Amino acid sequence: MSSTSTAPPADSPAPAETETEAQRTRREGIEEHEARNLIVLACHQITLRIGWIFKTESVIMPAFLDIIAGAGWIRGILPTLNRLGQSVPPLIFADRMRHARVKSRVLMATSLSMAVPFLMLSVIWNSLEVKQQPWLPPLFLVLYLIFFSVTGLNQLAYGTVQGKLIQVQHRGRLMGVAGVVGSIAAVTAAWFMLKPWLGLPNGEGFTYVFAFNGIAFLIAGLIASTCREPADEHVEVPRRRLRDHVIRAWQVYRGDRTFRQAAHVAMLFITIMFLFPHFQWLGREKLGSSLQDLIYWVVAQNISVGVFSSLLGMVADRRGNRLAVRIAVFLTSLTPVVAILLASPLVEDGRRWFWLTFVLLGLVPVTMKTILNYTLELADETHHPRYLSTMTFCFAIPPLVFSAAFGSLIDLMPYQYPFLMVTGLIALGGLLTFRMAEPRHMSAEASTMVGD
């Protein structure tokens, strides 16, 4: 049975007089290898970024789905499956992640598993002479859900490994280094490979795109296997049903006011996912952009990820994650407005400038990581998996409930209305950041968290 108990601020070292010999040995082992592990985790994230640019959620995936299906309501399913996969599996796996003796092994296994759906898609797409098959859209959506289920576990593992091996004041640096170097590497790969592949007729290039995804994720898994991590003590993992995991997540939400305030911001911010598949549709349908234009949007988005990762990482390390989240959420709220303006007659040659929309979209993954880093500061290390999985579940709630409906709205009414609705919701989230606490300024008495 969970209960709320007073605890020291997250990530603070145990007082010397209460630290056992085993705890001291563990801490010294982590500190000894922190520099190496920071490099390893940065390389892991860089390699994931290189693979990820070839499956960008706002560009590549919906464009492929338009080729094999085409309806707005089907595009609207993508964010639902995305968040479903990244929320429920981590919620169920949080206890096992918490009690895993060597957590980086989970990071390795999930990274390798992320490759499987894309390697399958590459083989299937290459084998089809007639690309329009009635069974292909459902199969694609199933593989898409499987991929994001594994991705959700991978993100849980990465956050937990980071919380164990990297000190709080160095996590922004890790995000910045991985973001900048990852963007340069990903954009270079996209320019020399993705650009010509997207230019092949009848979508033939997706065979190579998906194969490259899979290979990159395999390499990322091998990199993760080189982490130096002291093993934790073996603990028997309690058996729980899905209902029990949901109850425990609810207890975190209800029992920790600071977490709850951040969760409200996260749920309003993530409404940007409603529009993720539709930005590329807007450019292609309203401005006449082609598949070749996708490369410029992908490049713009990934360069911005690198720039924003570095800038917000510095803000987070120096001034705290709360300020970084506030800046990022307000900037993200401008994205739908910029897209509307560029697609309107008010802007001459909007097709030429539509890449600016994707510059702002680069804030989305950076903001999510920053919110998760904020979440790490709300609990001690043993509670990181539960807090991370609960925040990830909060990210999932709005897309699960409303994303498909927003896809239908795009078909039924002028697109400006749903786009402006999302702008208003995100801006409200920005205002709510003023109610968030700064964990680094909280006293021990003020810091509470849900225990076991």
Side-chain angles (χ1 to χ4, degrees), residues 320-327 374 433-434 436-439 441:
N321 282 297
R322 178 182 62 175
L323 179 60
V325 169
R326 181 177 301 153
I327 294 170
Y374 176 92
T433 61
F434 289 96
M436 289 169 57
E438 175 49 62
H441 300 159

Side-chain angles (χ1 to χ4, degrees), residues 61-110:
M61 291 295 95
F64 178 74
L65 189 58
D66 281 346
I67 291 175
I68 63 175
W73 69 269
I74 297 181
R75 281 196 311 274
I77 294 175
L78 292 182
T80 301
L81 298 179
N82 180 318
R83 300 321 308 173
L84 177 64
Q86 292 190 71
S87 60
V88 177
L91 197 68
I92 296 172
F93 193 72
D95 283 335
R96 290 187 177 276
M97 189 71 239
R98 173 184 177 183
H99 297 304
R101 297 192 65 210
V102 182
K103 294 168 174 58
S104 56
R105 290 178 184 170
V106 182
L107 182 64
M108 175 194 69
T110 54

Side-chain angles (χ1 to χ4, degrees), residues 281-357:
W281 166 85
L282 183 61
R284 294 174 66 194
E285 292 296 320
K286 302 301 181 183
L287 296 175
S289 300
S290 66
L291 275 178
Q292 282 287 76
D293 291 319
L294 299 186
I295 183 62
Y296 302 107
W297 302 346
V298 168
V299 166
Q301 183 172 337
N302 278 269
I303 289 176
S304 76
V305 170
V307 173
F308 286 127
S309 293
S310 180
L311 295 176
L312 293 176
M314 286 190 293
V315 171
D317 281 350
R318 297 177 183 179
R319 301 288 300 277
N321 282 297
R322 178 182 62 175
L323 179 60
V325 169
R326 181 177 301 153
I327 294 170
V329 171
F330 275 122
L331 285 176
T332 303
S333 70
L334 301 176
T335 309
V337 176
V338 170
I340 291 172
L341 289 175
L342 292 174
S344 73
L346 297 175
V347 177
E348 186 177 352
D349 197 11
R351 173 179 173 177
R352 179 183 176 187
W353 298 102
F354 198 68
W355 59 270
L356 291 172
T357 301

Side-chain angles (χ1 to χ4, degrees), residues 137-182:
L139 176 63
F140 171 77
L141 293 176
V142 170
L143 291 175
Y144 189 87
L145 176 60
I146 292 172
F147 170 78
F148 274 105
S149 297
V150 180
T151 299
L153 298 177
N154 182 263
Q155 292 171 346
L156 174 67
Y158 176 76
T160 305
V161 170
Q162 181 186 207
K164 178 179 178 180
L165 301 181
I166 307 299
Q167 296 181 64
V168 61
Q169 66 268 27
H170 297 156
R171 293 171 192 163
R173 182 190 309 172
L174 171 58
M175 184 175 76
V177 170
V180 172
V181 180

Side-chain angles (χ1 to χ4, degrees), residues 171-444:
R171 293 171 192 163
R173 182 190 309 172
L174 171 58
M175 184 175 76
V177 170
V180 172
V181 180
S183 289
I184 295 172
V187 165
T188 302
W191 189 261
F192 288 103
M193 288 183 280
L194 185 58
K195 185 180 181 181
W197 290 342
L198 290 177
L200 294 177
N202 302 318
E204 295 287 347
F206 282 106
T207 295
Y208 308 108
V209 171
F210 295 148
F212 189 89
N213 290 147
I215 293 170
F217 297 146
L218 288 175
I219 295 172
L222 296 177
I223 291 173
S225 69
T226 65
C227 275
R228 295 282 179 84
E229 178 189 353
D232 294 330
E233 294 181 4
H234 174 73
V235 178
E236 195 67 32
V237 181
R239 291 183 176 273
R240 290 190 173 97
R241 299 167 296 174
L242 175 59
R243 178 175 176 272
D244 299 324
H245 294 293
V246 174
I247 290 174
R248 283 163 60 79
W250 176 250
Q251 289 170 336
V252 171
Y253 175 84
R254 285 294 303 271
D256 190 328
R257 180 172 178 269
T258 306
F259 176 92
R260 188 164 62 251
Q261 292 169 335
H264 294 161
V265 173
M267 286 189 283
L268 288 167
F269 160 77
I270 206 62
T271 57
I272 188 66
M273 292 289 294
F274 297 169
L275 302 177
F276 248 53
H278 306 296
F279 286 111
Q280 62 85 32
W281 166 85
L282 183 61
R284 294 174 66 194
E285 292 296 320
K286 302 301 181 183
L287 296 175
S289 300
S290 66
L291 275 178
Q292 282 287 76
D293 291 319
L294 299 186
I295 183 62
Y296 302 107
W297 302 346
V298 168
V299 166
Q301 183 172 337
N302 278 269
I303 289 176
S304 76
V305 170
V307 173
F308 286 127
S309 293
S310 180
L311 295 176
L312 293 176
M314 286 190 293
V315 171
D317 281 350
R318 297 177 183 179
R319 301 288 300 277
N321 282 297
R322 178 182 62 175
L323 179 60
V325 169
R326 181 177 301 153
I327 294 170
V329 171
F330 275 122
L331 285 176
T332 303
S333 70
L334 301 176
T335 309
V337 176
V338 170
I340 291 172
L341 289 175
L342 292 174
S344 73
L346 297 175
V347 177
E348 186 177 352
D349 197 11
R351 173 179 173 177
R352 179 183 176 187
W353 298 102
F354 198 68
W355 59 270
L356 291 172
T357 301
F358 295 88
V359 170
L360 289 174
L361 279 179
L363 278 162
V364 176
V366 181
T367 308
M368 293 177 69
K369 287 185 178 180
T370 307
I371 292 174
L372 293 176
N373 282 347
Y374 176 92
T375 304
L376 287 173
E377 295 189 54
L378 302 182
D380 66 26
E381 183 187 316
T382 60
H383 290 81
H384 282 169
R386 178 57 56 194
Y387 269 62
L388 289 172
S389 64
T390 303
M391 182 59 77
T392 303
F393 191 73
C394 291
F395 275 134
I397 293 172
L400 284 175
V401 177
F402 298 110
S403 184
F406 259 78
S408 298
L409 288 179
I410 297 292
D411 291 334
L412 297 175
M413 66 171 60
Y415 68 87
Q416 292 91 339
Y417 296 136
F419 272 60
L420 290 175
M421 287 170 62
V422 170
T423 284
L425 291 170
I426 300 172
L428 177 59
L431 293 175
L432 290 184
T433 61
F434 289 96
R435 300 182 62 185
M436 289 169 57
E438 175 49 62
R440 299 179 201 180
H441 300 159
M442 292 167 60
S443 65

